[in-house]
Amino acid sequence: MFRFICIAIFLFFYLTLTIPVLIVEWIIGKFNPHARDISSLRIVQWAFRVILRLAGVTATVIGEENVPDEPVLFIGNHRSYFDILLTYSRCKRLTGYVAKKEMERYLTLTTWMKRLHCLFLDRKNPKEGLKTILQAVDHIKNGISICIFPEGTRNAGEELTMLPFKDGAFKIATKSGCAIVPISLNNTAAIFENHIPKVKKTHVVIEYGKPIYPDQLDKDTKRHIGDHVENIIRETIRKNAELV
């Protein structure tokens, strides 16, 4: 419980004390939007790294050199809230995450998320969902990477299992032409979700796969690109299970 309490206290003070920072960032954005975006990215990454230290999380990272220096679509399996912290703290470029619309209710947190080009997906409204996908395509075209967990929710099943990927997420890549970078995450539910409310010292494995360019795939693979990426991630998390 000690780690959980420390993280809760840190989050409270971060979300409270950074309200003036958000105002300063807004002013900077009026003159230099790119400088604001980069500073917002680094501030949040710092906070995420502090939380990961407080949680006692260590990570083995494989294949980070596979991430090209261009806007990409990150696709990952999803078992923990900490998946976001683990992956976002390593982003070198501006990156927006696709989150469920319910996250918009959290005031200061929502403001930070919007500053980081996050998008909010209404999973119950297909028309609004399509709008979010098109917004993500625009982000890619404007040089901002997108990360999405296409299982649609956190998988509470057995370790090494995955929920079926939702195909809509992959339209971001097929419509923009950007590369898809698979992210395979092992053992992240052991940090928190497996024993809520305790946060336990945990070793996780993160592997970045080789970029997949939709236009370079054969027609059949491109038609079933979601299954293709899902299989890559499934095989990778099984391979890496022995490293945990």
mmCIF file of all heavy atoms in Angstrom, residues 146-187:
data_model
loop_
_atom_site.group_PDB
_atom_site.id
_atom_site.type_symbol
_atom_site.label_atom_id
_atom_site.label_comp_id
_atom_site.label_asym_id
_atom_site.label_seq_id
_atom_site.Cartn_x
_atom_site.Cartn_y
_atom_site.Cartn_z
ATOM 1 N N ILE A 146 0.677 8.494 -33.246
ATOM 2 C CA ILE A 146 -0.519 8.097 -32.508
ATOM 3 C C ILE A 146 -0.273 6.720 -31.893
ATOM 4 O O ILE A 146 0.310 5.837 -32.532
ATOM 5 C CB ILE A 146 -1.755 8.042 -33.429
ATOM 6 C CG1 ILE A 146 -2.148 9.441 -33.894
ATOM 7 C CG2 ILE A 146 -2.934 7.365 -32.728
ATOM 8 C CD1 ILE A 146 -2.682 10.346 -32.796
ATOM 9 N N CYS A 147 -0.730 6.545 -30.663
ATOM 10 C CA CYS A 147 -0.667 5.233 -30.014
ATOM 11 C C CYS A 147 -2.083 4.809 -29.640
ATOM 12 O O CYS A 147 -2.847 5.603 -29.087
ATOM 13 C CB CYS A 147 0.212 5.279 -28.763
ATOM 14 S SG CYS A 147 0.388 3.666 -27.948
ATOM 15 N N ILE A 148 -2.405 3.563 -29.954
ATOM 16 C CA ILE A 148 -3.736 3.056 -29.635
ATOM 17 C C ILE A 148 -3.623 1.597 -29.210
ATOM 18 O O ILE A 148 -2.762 0.856 -29.698
ATOM 19 C CB ILE A 148 -4.688 3.224 -30.844
ATOM 20 C CG1 ILE A 148 -6.130 2.926 -30.445
ATOM 21 C CG2 ILE A 148 -4.249 2.373 -32.018
ATOM 22 C CD1 ILE A 148 -7.154 3.349 -31.496
ATOM 23 N N PHE A 149 -4.472 1.199 -28.295
ATOM 24 C CA PHE A 149 -4.550 -0.188 -27.845
ATOM 25 C C PHE A 149 -5.832 -0.772 -28.443
ATOM 26 O O PHE A 149 -6.926 -0.569 -27.910
ATOM 27 C CB PHE A 149 -4.566 -0.262 -26.324
ATOM 28 C CG PHE A 149 -3.346 0.346 -25.680
ATOM 29 C CD1 PHE A 149 -3.435 1.548 -24.987
ATOM 30 C CD2 PHE A 149 -2.117 -0.277 -25.780
ATOM 31 C CE1 PHE A 149 -2.317 2.103 -24.390
ATOM 32 C CE2 PHE A 149 -0.986 0.272 -25.189
ATOM 33 C CZ PHE A 149 -1.084 1.471 -24.497
ATOM 34 N N PRO A 150 -5.739 -1.496 -29.566
ATOM 35 C CA PRO A 150 -6.941 -1.882 -30.314
ATOM 36 C C PRO A 150 -7.766 -3.010 -29.700
ATOM 37 O O PRO A 150 -8.781 -3.400 -30.289
ATOM 38 C CB PRO A 150 -6.377 -2.283 -31.682
ATOM 39 C CG PRO A 150 -4.977 -2.687 -31.416
ATOM 40 C CD PRO A 150 -4.511 -1.838 -30.275
ATOM 41 N N GLU A 151 -7.356 -3.525 -28.542
ATOM 42 C CA GLU A 151 -8.241 -4.455 -27.840
ATOM 43 C C GLU A 151 -9.493 -3.720 -27.348
ATOM 44 O O GLU A 151 -10.498 -4.343 -27.050
ATOM 45 C CB GLU A 151 -7.519 -5.114 -26.677
ATOM 46 C CG GLU A 151 -6.453 -6.114 -27.118
ATOM 47 C CD GLU A 151 -5.572 -6.566 -25.968
ATOM 48 O OE1 GLU A 151 -4.667 -5.795 -25.576
ATOM 49 O OE2 GLU A 151 -5.785 -7.685 -25.467
ATOM 50 N N GLY A 152 -9.394 -2.394 -27.239
ATOM 51 C CA GLY A 152 -10.544 -1.571 -26.877
ATOM 52 C C GLY A 152 -10.714 -1.357 -25.394
ATOM 53 O O GLY A 152 -11.394 -0.416 -24.969
ATOM 54 N N THR A 153 -10.084 -2.178 -24.582
ATOM 55 C CA THR A 153 -10.140 -2.046 -23.129
ATOM 56 C C THR A 153 -9.003 -2.877 -22.548
ATOM 57 O O THR A 153 -8.347 -3.652 -23.273
ATOM 58 C CB THR A 153 -11.505 -2.535 -22.580
ATOM 59 O OG1 THR A 153 -11.586 -2.232 -21.188
ATOM 60 C CG2 THR A 153 -11.657 -4.051 -22.767
ATOM 61 N N ARG A 154 -8.761 -2.721 -21.257
ATOM 62 C CA ARG A 154 -7.709 -3.526 -20.636
ATOM 63 C C ARG A 154 -8.144 -4.990 -20.580
ATOM 64 O O ARG A 154 -9.255 -5.307 -20.189
ATOM 65 C CB ARG A 154 -7.403 -3.013 -19.227
ATOM 66 C CG ARG A 154 -6.590 -1.728 -19.207
ATOM 67 C CD ARG A 154 -6.346 -1.241 -17.799
ATOM 68 N NE ARG A 154 -7.592 -0.869 -17.126
ATOM 69 C CZ ARG A 154 -8.126 -1.532 -16.122
ATOM 70 N NH1 ARG A 154 -7.558 -2.618 -15.654
ATOM 71 N NH2 ARG A 154 -9.253 -1.113 -15.576
ATOM 72 N N ASN A 155 -7.239 -5.869 -20.965
ATOM 73 C CA ASN A 155 -7.502 -7.298 -20.932
ATOM 74 C C ASN A 155 -7.247 -7.826 -19.517
ATOM 75 O O ASN A 155 -6.128 -7.790 -19.023
ATOM 76 C CB ASN A 155 -6.588 -8.009 -21.935
ATOM 77 C CG ASN A 155 -6.689 -9.517 -21.858
ATOM 78 O OD1 ASN A 155 -7.658 -10.061 -21.329
ATOM 79 N ND2 ASN A 155 -5.691 -10.200 -22.387
ATOM 80 N N ALA A 156 -8.303 -8.311 -18.884
ATOM 81 C CA ALA A 156 -8.185 -8.839 -17.523
ATOM 82 C C ALA A 156 -8.018 -10.354 -17.502
ATOM 83 O O ALA A 156 -8.081 -10.983 -16.448
ATOM 84 C CB ALA A 156 -9.416 -8.451 -16.709
ATOM 85 N N GLY A 157 -7.784 -10.948 -18.670
ATOM 86 C CA GLY A 157 -7.630 -12.393 -18.749
ATOM 87 C C GLY A 157 -6.247 -12.850 -18.317
ATOM 88 O O GLY A 157 -5.455 -12.093 -17.755
ATOM 89 N N GLU A 158 -5.959 -14.098 -18.603
ATOM 90 C CA GLU A 158 -4.684 -14.687 -18.217
ATOM 91 C C GLU A 158 -3.517 -14.001 -18.940
ATOM 92 O O GLU A 158 -3.666 -13.533 -20.069
ATOM 93 C CB GLU A 158 -4.674 -16.181 -18.541
ATOM 94 C CG GLU A 158 -5.662 -17.022 -17.736
ATOM 95 C CD GLU A 158 -5.316 -17.068 -16.261
ATOM 96 O OE1 GLU A 158 -4.116 -17.100 -15.940
ATOM 97 O OE2 GLU A 158 -6.245 -17.051 -15.435
ATOM 98 N N GLU A 159 -2.372 -13.963 -18.269
ATOM 99 C CA GLU A 159 -1.157 -13.443 -18.885
ATOM 100 C C GLU A 159 -0.909 -14.209 -20.191
ATOM 101 O O GLU A 159 -1.140 -15.413 -20.272
ATOM 102 C CB GLU A 159 0.031 -13.608 -17.940
ATOM 103 C CG GLU A 159 1.338 -13.030 -18.448
ATOM 104 C CD GLU A 159 1.357 -11.497 -18.447
ATOM 105 O OE1 GLU A 159 0.563 -10.875 -17.721
ATOM 106 O OE2 GLU A 159 2.173 -10.925 -19.175
ATOM 107 N N LEU A 160 -0.456 -13.501 -21.209
ATOM 108 C CA LEU A 160 -0.167 -14.017 -22.545
ATOM 109 C C LEU A 160 -1.418 -14.185 -23.407
ATOM 110 O O LEU A 160 -1.330 -14.626 -24.553
ATOM 111 C CB LEU A 160 0.598 -15.357 -22.501
ATOM 112 C CG LEU A 160 1.898 -15.378 -21.690
ATOM 113 C CD1 LEU A 160 2.591 -16.730 -21.849
ATOM 114 C CD2 LEU A 160 2.834 -14.259 -22.099
ATOM 115 N N THR A 161 -2.582 -13.825 -22.866
ATOM 116 C CA THR A 161 -3.781 -13.811 -23.705
ATOM 117 C C THR A 161 -4.016 -12.397 -24.224
ATOM 118 O O THR A 161 -3.494 -11.425 -23.669
ATOM 119 C CB THR A 161 -5.026 -14.272 -22.934
ATOM 120 O OG1 THR A 161 -5.325 -13.328 -21.896
ATOM 121 C CG2 THR A 161 -4.814 -15.656 -22.331
ATOM 122 N N MET A 162 -4.813 -12.291 -25.277
ATOM 123 C CA MET A 162 -5.166 -10.990 -25.838
ATOM 124 C C MET A 162 -6.614 -11.008 -26.275
ATOM 125 O O MET A 162 -7.135 -12.042 -26.685
ATOM 126 C CB MET A 162 -4.258 -10.657 -27.038
ATOM 127 C CG MET A 162 -2.820 -10.352 -26.659
ATOM 128 S SD MET A 162 -1.711 -10.333 -28.107
ATOM 129 C CE MET A 162 -2.553 -9.185 -29.180
ATOM 130 N N LEU A 163 -7.252 -9.860 -26.187
ATOM 131 C CA LEU A 163 -8.590 -9.705 -26.747
ATOM 132 C C LEU A 163 -8.459 -9.434 -28.244
ATOM 133 O O LEU A 163 -7.427 -8.923 -28.704
ATOM 134 C CB LEU A 163 -9.314 -8.535 -26.071
ATOM 135 C CG LEU A 163 -9.510 -8.645 -24.551
ATOM 136 C CD1 LEU A 163 -10.113 -7.347 -24.012
ATOM 137 C CD2 LEU A 163 -10.391 -9.834 -24.203
ATOM 138 N N PRO A 164 -9.474 -9.762 -29.036
ATOM 139 C CA PRO A 164 -9.402 -9.504 -30.483
ATOM 140 C C PRO A 164 -9.195 -8.010 -30.767
ATOM 141 O O PRO A 164 -9.802 -7.154 -30.129
ATOM 142 C CB PRO A 164 -10.766 -9.982 -30.994
ATOM 143 C CG PRO A 164 -11.265 -10.924 -29.953
ATOM 144 C CD PRO A 164 -10.742 -10.417 -28.644
ATOM 145 N N PHE A 165 -8.345 -7.709 -31.725
ATOM 146 C CA PHE A 165 -8.103 -6.328 -32.122
ATOM 147 C C PHE A 165 -9.278 -5.804 -32.932
ATOM 148 O O PHE A 165 -9.835 -6.507 -33.770
ATOM 149 C CB PHE A 165 -6.832 -6.226 -32.960
ATOM 150 C CG PHE A 165 -5.559 -6.216 -32.155
ATOM 151 C CD1 PHE A 165 -5.564 -6.493 -30.793
ATOM 152 C CD2 PHE A 165 -4.348 -5.925 -32.760
ATOM 153 C CE1 PHE A 165 -4.387 -6.477 -30.049
ATOM 154 C CE2 PHE A 165 -3.168 -5.901 -32.038
ATOM 155 C CZ PHE A 165 -3.181 -6.182 -30.679
ATOM 156 N N LYS A 166 -9.630 -4.558 -32.685
ATOM 157 C CA LYS A 166 -10.687 -3.889 -33.453
ATOM 158 C C LYS A 166 -10.060 -3.251 -34.696
ATOM 159 O O LYS A 166 -9.065 -2.523 -34.612
ATOM 160 C CB LYS A 166 -11.386 -2.855 -32.577
ATOM 161 C CG LYS A 166 -12.051 -3.475 -31.338
ATOM 162 C CD LYS A 166 -12.827 -2.459 -30.548
ATOM 163 C CE LYS A 166 -13.388 -3.075 -29.270
ATOM 164 N NZ LYS A 166 -14.270 -4.221 -29.509
ATOM 165 N N ASP A 167 -10.655 -3.517 -35.839
ATOM 166 C CA ASP A 167 -10.054 -3.117 -37.120
ATOM 167 C C ASP A 167 -9.988 -1.610 -37.331
ATOM 168 O O ASP A 167 -9.131 -1.119 -38.066
ATOM 169 C CB ASP A 167 -10.828 -3.748 -38.279
ATOM 170 C CG ASP A 167 -10.640 -5.261 -38.348
ATOM 171 O OD1 ASP A 167 -9.603 -5.739 -37.875
ATOM 172 O OD2 ASP A 167 -11.539 -5.938 -38.873
ATOM 173 N N GLY A 168 -10.903 -0.848 -36.706
ATOM 174 C CA GLY A 168 -10.957 0.590 -36.948
ATOM 175 C C GLY A 168 -9.649 1.298 -36.676
ATOM 176 O O GLY A 168 -9.300 2.270 -37.363
ATOM 177 N N ALA A 169 -8.896 0.812 -35.672
ATOM 178 C CA ALA A 169 -7.634 1.456 -35.305
ATOM 179 C C ALA A 169 -6.652 1.493 -36.480
ATOM 180 O O ALA A 169 -5.882 2.447 -36.634
ATOM 181 C CB ALA A 169 -7.005 0.724 -34.124
ATOM 182 N N PHE A 170 -6.694 0.469 -37.326
ATOM 183 C CA PHE A 170 -5.694 0.343 -38.391
ATOM 184 C C PHE A 170 -5.990 1.245 -39.583
ATOM 185 O O PHE A 170 -5.130 1.433 -40.449
ATOM 186 C CB PHE A 170 -5.593 -1.123 -38.808
ATOM 187 C CG PHE A 170 -5.098 -1.992 -37.680
ATOM 188 C CD1 PHE A 170 -5.995 -2.584 -36.808
ATOM 189 C CD2 PHE A 170 -3.740 -2.157 -37.464
ATOM 190 C CE1 PHE A 170 -5.540 -3.352 -35.739
ATOM 191 C CE2 PHE A 170 -3.281 -2.919 -36.404
ATOM 192 C CZ PHE A 170 -4.189 -3.517 -35.536
ATOM 193 N N LYS A 171 -7.191 1.822 -39.615
ATOM 194 C CA LYS A 171 -7.509 2.786 -40.672
ATOM 195 C C LYS A 171 -6.615 4.013 -40.566
ATOM 196 O O LYS A 171 -6.384 4.711 -41.557
ATOM 197 C CB LYS A 171 -8.976 3.190 -40.590
ATOM 198 C CG LYS A 171 -9.945 2.069 -40.941
ATOM 199 C CD LYS A 171 -11.391 2.522 -40.811
ATOM 200 C CE LYS A 171 -12.350 1.382 -41.138
ATOM 201 N NZ LYS A 171 -13.771 1.776 -40.956
ATOM 202 N N ILE A 172 -6.120 4.285 -39.354
ATOM 203 C CA ILE A 172 -5.211 5.429 -39.169
ATOM 204 C C ILE A 172 -3.981 5.256 -40.050
ATOM 205 O O ILE A 172 -3.499 6.212 -40.665
ATOM 206 C CB ILE A 172 -4.800 5.558 -37.684
ATOM 207 C CG1 ILE A 172 -6.039 5.802 -36.820
ATOM 208 C CG2 ILE A 172 -3.778 6.677 -37.500
ATOM 209 C CD1 ILE A 172 -5.776 5.684 -35.326
ATOM 210 N N ALA A 173 -3.480 4.024 -40.118
ATOM 211 C CA ALA A 173 -2.294 3.751 -40.942
ATOM 212 C C ALA A 173 -2.636 3.624 -42.412
ATOM 213 O O ALA A 173 -1.934 4.169 -43.270
ATOM 214 C CB ALA A 173 -1.601 2.482 -40.449
ATOM 215 N N THR A 174 -3.713 2.914 -42.736
ATOM 216 C CA THR A 174 -4.030 2.697 -44.147
ATOM 217 C C THR A 174 -4.449 3.984 -44.841
ATOM 218 O O THR A 174 -4.208 4.162 -46.037
ATOM 219 C CB THR A 174 -5.137 1.634 -44.296
ATOM 220 O OG1 THR A 174 -6.289 2.019 -43.532
ATOM 221 C CG2 THR A 174 -4.649 0.277 -43.800
ATOM 222 N N LYS A 175 -5.069 4.902 -44.095
ATOM 223 C CA LYS A 175 -5.501 6.170 -44.691
ATOM 224 C C LYS A 175 -4.374 7.207 -44.742
ATOM 225 O O LYS A 175 -4.386 8.099 -45.590
ATOM 226 C CB LYS A 175 -6.693 6.734 -43.920
ATOM 227 C CG LYS A 175 -8.004 5.974 -44.145
ATOM 228 C CD LYS A 175 -9.147 6.618 -43.388
ATOM 229 C CE LYS A 175 -10.459 5.897 -43.651
ATOM 230 N NZ LYS A 175 -10.899 6.011 -45.059
ATOM 231 N N SER A 176 -3.425 7.116 -43.824
ATOM 232 C CA SER A 176 -2.331 8.099 -43.792
ATOM 233 C C SER A 176 -1.067 7.585 -44.470
ATOM 234 O O SER A 176 -0.207 8.378 -44.865
ATOM 235 C CB SER A 176 -1.998 8.465 -42.340
ATOM 236 O OG SER A 176 -1.411 7.363 -41.669
ATOM 237 N N GLY A 177 -0.956 6.250 -44.604
ATOM 238 C CA GLY A 177 0.245 5.678 -45.209
ATOM 239 C C GLY A 177 1.407 5.544 -44.250
ATOM 240 O O GLY A 177 2.521 5.195 -44.660
ATOM 241 N N CYS A 178 1.183 5.822 -42.974
ATOM 242 C CA CYS A 178 2.279 5.766 -41.999
ATOM 243 C C CYS A 178 2.613 4.319 -41.628
ATOM 244 O O CYS A 178 1.838 3.392 -41.875
ATOM 245 C CB CYS A 178 1.925 6.548 -40.740
ATOM 246 S SG CYS A 178 0.728 5.722 -39.665
ATOM 247 N N ALA A 179 3.769 4.141 -41.021
ATOM 248 C CA ALA A 179 4.181 2.821 -40.545
ATOM 249 C C ALA A 179 3.439 2.463 -39.263
ATOM 250 O O ALA A 179 3.101 3.337 -38.457
ATOM 251 C CB ALA A 179 5.681 2.809 -40.291
ATOM 252 N N ILE A 180 3.205 1.176 -39.083
ATOM 253 C CA ILE A 180 2.676 0.645 -37.831
ATOM 254 C C ILE A 180 3.849 0.050 -37.062
ATOM 255 O O ILE A 180 4.617 -0.748 -37.613
ATOM 256 C CB ILE A 180 1.627 -0.451 -38.092
ATOM 257 C CG1 ILE A 180 0.428 0.120 -38.833
ATOM 258 C CG2 ILE A 180 1.200 -1.121 -36.796
ATOM 259 C CD1 ILE A 180 -0.526 -0.942 -39.366
ATOM 260 N N VAL A 181 4.002 0.444 -35.800
ATOM 261 C CA VAL A 181 5.048 -0.131 -34.952
ATOM 262 C C VAL A 181 4.376 -0.928 -33.837
ATOM 263 O O VAL A 181 3.732 -0.352 -32.958
ATOM 264 C CB VAL A 181 5.956 0.965 -34.353
ATOM 265 C CG1 VAL A 181 6.977 0.328 -33.399
ATOM 266 C CG2 VAL A 181 6.678 1.725 -35.459
ATOM 267 N N PRO A 182 4.476 -2.268 -33.867
ATOM 268 C CA PRO A 182 3.885 -3.065 -32.795
ATOM 269 C C PRO A 182 4.655 -2.889 -31.489
ATOM 270 O O PRO A 182 5.889 -2.845 -31.482
ATOM 271 C CB PRO A 182 4.025 -4.507 -33.305
ATOM 272 C CG PRO A 182 4.380 -4.384 -34.768
ATOM 273 C CD PRO A 182 5.091 -3.084 -34.909
ATOM 274 N N ILE A 183 3.920 -2.766 -30.389
ATOM 275 C CA ILE A 183 4.526 -2.731 -29.057
ATOM 276 C C ILE A 183 3.979 -3.911 -28.264
ATOM 277 O O ILE A 183 2.770 -4.025 -28.067
ATOM 278 C CB ILE A 183 4.216 -1.430 -28.293
ATOM 279 C CG1 ILE A 183 4.603 -0.196 -29.104
ATOM 280 C CG2 ILE A 183 4.950 -1.416 -26.948
ATOM 281 C CD1 ILE A 183 4.271 1.117 -28.404
ATOM 282 N N SER A 184 4.882 -4.792 -27.819
ATOM 283 C CA SER A 184 4.484 -5.970 -27.051
ATOM 284 C C SER A 184 4.881 -5.769 -25.598
ATOM 285 O O SER A 184 6.045 -5.496 -25.299
ATOM 286 C CB SER A 184 5.169 -7.218 -27.614
ATOM 287 O OG SER A 184 4.909 -7.339 -28.996
ATOM 288 N N LEU A 185 3.898 -5.897 -24.703
ATOM 289 C CA LEU A 185 4.113 -5.624 -23.281
ATOM 290 C C LEU A 185 3.871 -6.886 -22.458
ATOM 291 O O LEU A 185 2.812 -7.500 -22.550
ATOM 292 C CB LEU A 185 3.170 -4.511 -22.823
ATOM 293 C CG LEU A 185 3.362 -3.156 -23.508
ATOM 294 C CD1 LEU A 185 2.066 -2.373 -23.552
ATOM 295 C CD2 LEU A 185 4.428 -2.352 -22.773
ATOM 296 N N ASN A 186 4.864 -7.249 -21.658
ATOM 297 C CA ASN A 186 4.756 -8.421 -20.786
ATOM 298 C C ASN A 186 4.770 -8.028 -19.315
ATOM 299 O O ASN A 186 5.580 -7.183 -18.896
ATOM 300 C CB ASN A 186 5.925 -9.378 -21.018
ATOM 301 C CG ASN A 186 5.794 -10.196 -22.278
ATOM 302 O OD1 ASN A 186 5.959 -9.660 -23.382
ATOM 303 N ND2 ASN A 186 5.513 -11.489 -22.139
ATOM 304 N N ASN A 187 3.867 -8.639 -18.534
ATOM 305 C CA ASN A 187 3.872 -8.581 -17.071
ATOM 306 C C ASN A 187 3.433 -7.247 -16.489
ATOM 307 O O ASN A 187 3.638 -6.984 -15.310
ATOM 308 C CB ASN A 187 5.270 -8.936 -16.522
ATOM 309 C CG ASN A 187 5.209 -9.516 -15.117
ATOM 310 O OD1 ASN A 187 4.297 -10.284 -14.799
ATOM 311 N ND2 ASN A 187 6.165 -9.162 -14.283
#
